[in-house]
Amino acid sequence: SEPSRAFEHYIKARAAELRGNDKAPASLAAWNQQRTALRNNLRHAWGAWPSQAAPLNPQSHGVLQRDGYHVEKLSFQTLPGVRMTANAYVPAKAGKLPAVLCVHGHWPGAKQDPVVQSRCLGLAKLGFFVLVVDAFGAGERGVGKALGEYHGEMTAATLFPVGLPLSGLQVYENMRAVDYLLTRPEVDGNRLGITGASGGGNQTMYAGAFDERFKAVVPVCSVGNYQAYLGTACCMCEVVPGALRFTEEWGLLAMVAPRALMVISATKDSPQFSIREAQKSLLLAGPVFGLHGKSANLRHATFESPHAYNQPMREAMYGWMTRHLKGEGDGSPIAEPRFQTEAPEMLRCFPGQTRPDDWVTIPKFAAAEARKLLAGKTSAHTAATWQAQAKLARTALENQVLAADVSDNKQSQPASRSNFQSQGVSGKAGVRGLVLFLDASTEADQTIKATVKTLLDVRFQVLTLSLRATGANGISNDKIGRAPDHNTGQWSLWLGRPLLAQWTHEVRVALDQHLKANPPLPVTVIGQGPAGVVALCAAALEPRIKRVVSIGSLASYITEVPYEGQRIGLLAPGIVRDVGDIPQLAALIAPRPLIIAGAVNASGATLEAGTLREQFAFPRRIYQLQKADAALTLLPSTSTEAILRALE
């Protein structure tokens, strides 16, 4: 197939291979065993949640008195120092009420958006206590203080290196929202439901599957199947790293059984959320409800509609919640009461610019987690201590972060052999060595061409490797926002095979192929831009690489703002947790020569000389421990002449 589709075809073929034999469990005992394994796999994919819940410390930010109900503006702590903004819609009714947690999707106003308000108001008018929350990074919890911010692409991506994807944090925070509901004297904790649409529908499915305190679960315009995500663009908040290795979406839906699940789909929705794709998942989830003797607790409601959470959909949800949380009716739609939505600003806990300046955003949270994780990875005091640490780090890099995949050597893979070109003088005397030049640029880079020409002029043989899903091997429409490889990076994560793993494998395959066919030469690997991190990973694992040059590459995964000019593909889940930051990767190359030239921060700005030295102080110490201080070169610029002098 043409290069622009090769990677997509490979990803889809691998997913089909992984999940092609899925079938409904034959017995309840078999399902219970499968369910336990699925739950454990989800917990592993979502990373380590706190072993002890932080105090909720709820705060009130004002009350709106309305006819028949009032709206409380409130916030509470979900993680240490992290606060969730919320609105509680409280009916003026005596006694313990059933309650519904409403989670928003990608509507710009988040919990304040009129589309989201509507379901809250309808439920409150029908006698339900309603809690609606802002997801981490959205609504009042964005990087900035204004409403309308999107928490996906390079904002959510800051969480991957620390191994805490946003999909899992959303589940944890929504479980903390339930903890808050249980503190309210108006709420009957045995009658809880959850609903949301789009990204909120995903949150509904995951929280509903994982937290059995929810007795009625209604995901809207969100259910399809994971394989349908491949080839499309979805939000990073929906990605469960490696999910296709252990389940398809039907497994999550089946986890709700025997509790009540209504899936709402629209005829004009995106392919990944279409009725057809939802039916594939329900076909395997349905029998699990049957094994419990609760087939009536699963319903698929479809509507002639685009992607939405419109009035007919809401009325279907009201009927379902009334049946399963109040024990009234047969689950048929209930007419929506009349209501008036509020101006979004009225519902904010922190109107305008009044949110505290020390508010913990997604990138700030990720940076703090990274610093905690690194505290134990920067303490080598002797060469022997470091050798033991390095051995553990290489094992983790190889087996956990960049875990090999059986498909790596199959024909379906867009193999590296078609992606590299050899230039130079291998047959002539006096060749100084082989340079493997890694290219992950989006377009032809004149700097790369100039550097390669210079290397050829001084008698290096040069092998240029265009990494898969980049440059000429890229796909159309891959870029979303600040993420140049948003879609290919995301699809790879679903397979549990981050692009960094695939790129590192390609480097090793290129070495195998070239060194078999040519006289052995000392190998230098040069990585330009994002490919510099690939060069570090490959050399950390590959002793045949004798020297590494990283040009204009990321200096640290840690950032308190979203990444700019980097690639999703570099953000392998858990790399900081399991191995370390980029300086720790650099240290794994010692005592071999390493040149770091023109390293950049997460915003793409080149580090000044002093900051560069400070950033790479740890590998400097490791090189000193190994009596190889001169082998580490830090250059503030990407000057070809300076790099060539260092190569001399």
Side-chain angles (χ1 to χ4, degrees):
S1 54
E2 68 276 17
S4 62
R5 300 297 302 278
F7 186 75
E8 182 184 335
H9 291 327
Y10 158 65
I11 289 285
K12 288 179 174 178
R14 181 66 186 125
E17 193 175 0
L18 285 167
R19 302 270 46 101
N21 294 322
D22 279 13
K23 52 183 181 291
S27 67
L28 197 54
W31 166 245
N32 287 335
Q33 190 174 8
Q34 191 174 345
R35 189 183 192 280
T36 300
L38 177 49
R39 192 176 175 87
N40 291 339
N41 281 322
L42 285 167
R43 282 293 295 107
H44 179 74
W46 286 332
W49 293 342
S51 54
Q52 188 170 354
L56 288 165
N57 294 340
Q59 293 178 7
S60 173
H61 302 279
V63 178
L64 303 176
Q65 293 290 346
R66 297 294 183 259
D67 183 24
Y69 68 96
H70 68 266
V71 184
E72 298 178 19
K73 298 182 280 187
L74 57 99
S75 65
F76 49 87
Q77 184 175 237
T78 55
L79 294 149
V82 176
R83 296 191 70 80
M84 185 178 232
T85 45
N87 295 141
Y89 291 74
V90 186
K93 280 186 73 173
K96 292 274 193 177
L97 304 175
V100 177
L101 177 63
C102 285
V103 285
H104 64 80
H106 297 111
W107 277 269
K111 70 175 170 60
Q112 291 80 202
D113 200 283
V115 170
V116 180
Q117 287 185 52
S118 296
R119 74 198 70 148
C120 302
L121 289 162
L123 283 163
K125 290 272 193 175
L126 290 167
F128 293 88
F129 184 105
V130 179
L131 184 68
V132 60
V133 295
D134 276 332
F136 208 177
E140 299 195 75
R141 305 178 68 197
V143 174
K145 297 183 181 183
L147 295 180
E149 197 172 302
Y150 175 53
H151 66 176
E153 45 113 346
M154 285 307 197
T155 298
T158 59
L159 293 162
F160 286 129
V162 295
L164 289 169
L166 187 51
S167 58
L169 285 178
Q170 287 179 332
V171 171
Y172 183 77
E173 287 206 306
N174 289 331
M175 290 169 71
R176 296 311 317 278
V178 174
D179 294 343
Y180 173 75
L181 279 170
L182 297 183
T183 70
R184 296 292 302 235
E186 309 94 332
V187 170
D188 181 346
N190 293 313
R191 296 189 289 158
L192 302 180
I194 183 170
T195 188
S198 191
N202 267 269
Q203 289 186 61
T204 298
M205 176 179 73
Y206 287 117
F210 212 78
D211 191 334
E212 295 178 13
R213 293 176 294 182
F214 291 117
K215 298 302 189 288
V217 178
V218 184
V220 178
C221 288
S222 63
V223 171
N225 62 77
Y226 294 149
Q227 289 175 75
Y229 288 168
L230 309 178
T232 65
C234 288
C235 181
M236 288 297 163
C237 76
E238 296 165 0
V239 177
V240 180
L244 276 162
R245 287 179 175 264
F246 57 83
T247 193
E248 248 292 3
E249 207 165 301
W250 73 267
L252 276 299
L253 300 176
M255 283 177 75
V256 178
R259 294 168 291 131
L261 171 66
M262 171 183 272
V263 172
I264 293 179
S265 302
T267 54
K268 300 171 188 171
D269 211 334
S270 303
Q272 68 270 31
F273 306 136
S274 66
I275 293 171
R276 178 170 172 267
E277 300 301 335
Q279 286 170 337
K280 291 178 185 177
S281 292
L282 291 166
L283 191 65
L284 293 179
V288 176
F289 283 82
L291 290 172
H292 283 281
K294 293 287 185 179
S295 293
N297 277 7
L298 175 64
R299 185 174 296 179
H300 189 196
T302 61
F303 294 87
E304 188 69 31
S305 169
H307 192 74
Y309 202 158
N310 56 31
Q311 183 175 339
M313 294 172 176
R314 296 194 298 268
E315 291 177 340
M317 177 268 290
Y318 301 147
W320 194 251
M321 294 294 185
T322 299
R323 168 74 185 91
H324 293 283
L325 300 184
K326 291 184 177 181
E328 299 171 7
D330 61 2
S332 298
I334 289 177
E336 185 166 80
R338 291 172 63 85
F339 55 73
Q340 182 66 48
T341 59
E342 307 281 348
E345 200 69 11
M346 291 287 292
L347 293 168
R348 296 185 68 175
C349 300
F350 304 104
Q353 298 294 305
T354 61
R355 192 183 75 184
D357 290 337
D358 61 356
W359 189 263
V360 179
T361 64
I362 285 177
K364 284 182 179 177
F365 171 78
E369 290 297 309
R371 292 184 187 111
K372 282 191 276 186
L373 291 166
L374 289 174
K377 300 183 190 294
T378 55
S379 57
H381 300 296
T382 67
T385 305
W386 170 247
Q387 293 297 346
Q389 288 182 10
K391 184 177 180 182
L392 290 173
R394 286 192 184 95
T395 301
L397 183 64
E398 180 98 75
N399 298 332
Q400 289 161 234
V401 179
L402 307 179
D405 188 283
V406 294
S407 70
D408 275 335
N409 299 310
K410 293 194 174 184
Q411 293 300 315
S412 60
Q413 184 107 351
S416 57
R417 68 175 61 90
S418 62
N419 295 348
F420 65 70
Q421 297 178 325
S422 183
Q423 306 170 64
V425 285
S426 58
K428 300 178 185 176
V431 178
R432 301 170 61 188
L434 169 67
V435 171
L436 180 57
F437 202 104
L438 308 182
D439 173 14
S441 62
T442 310
E443 54 278 316
D445 188 327
Q446 296 306 314
T447 309
I448 292 173
K449 290 179 179 175
T451 308
V452 170
K453 182 180 185 305
T454 307
L455 290 164
L456 291 170
D457 289 344
V458 293
R459 303 191 68 75
F460 279 102
Q461 183 181 1
V462 181
L463 184 66
T464 56
L465 178 61
S466 181
L467 298 172
R468 76 179 51 165
T470 72
N473 304 304
I475 67 159
S476 58
N477 304 319
D478 202 9
K479 185 176 189 294
I480 303 283
R482 292 164 295 213
D485 60 339
H486 181 278
N487 296 337
T488 53
Q490 184 182 80
W491 305 340
S492 299
L493 291 175
W494 281 112
L495 291 179
R497 191 79 173 117
L499 277 168
L500 182 60
Q502 299 181 55
W503 291 334
T504 302
H505 176 76
E506 281 192 301
V507 174
R508 301 174 86 175
V509 168
L511 285 176
D512 289 342
Q513 293 173 357
H514 197 78
L515 294 180
K516 272 181 198 168
N518 296 279
L521 291 167
V523 176
T524 298
V525 174
I526 300 178
Q528 169 94 8
V533 181
V534 183
L536 295 180
C537 286
L541 300 175
E542 187 51 78
R544 292 178 296 177
I545 296 172
K546 303 304 181 189
R547 180 167 54 181
V548 179
V549 184
S550 169
I551 305 174
S553 301
L554 190 63
S556 174
Y557 284 121
I558 303 175
T559 174
E560 294 192 350
V561 295
Y563 297 106
E564 298 272 359
Q566 298 305 321
R567 299 185 80 90
I568 294 286
L570 298 183
L571 311 177
I575 191 167
V576 170
R577 178 193 64 204
D578 299 331
V579 181
D581 197 9
I582 287 166
Q584 281 69 44
L585 290 173
L588 293 173
I589 293 159
R592 291 166 288 165
L594 169 62
I595 300 168
I596 303 286
V600 301
N601 65 18
S603 299
T606 303
L607 302 185
E608 295 178 355
T611 310
L612 182 65
R613 284 193 301 272
E614 189 180 313
Q615 183 63 46
F616 286 90
F618 178 73
R620 173 68 73 199
R621 192 158 74 249
I622 299 304
Y623 271 83
Q624 288 168 344
L625 286 176
Q626 301 203 31
K627 307 288 192 288
D629 194 17
L632 175 60
T633 305
L634 302 178
L635 301 173
S637 84
T638 58
S639 152
T640 302
E641 294 73 21
I643 292 167
L644 200 60
R645 279 196 301 274
L647 282 170
E648 295 289 331

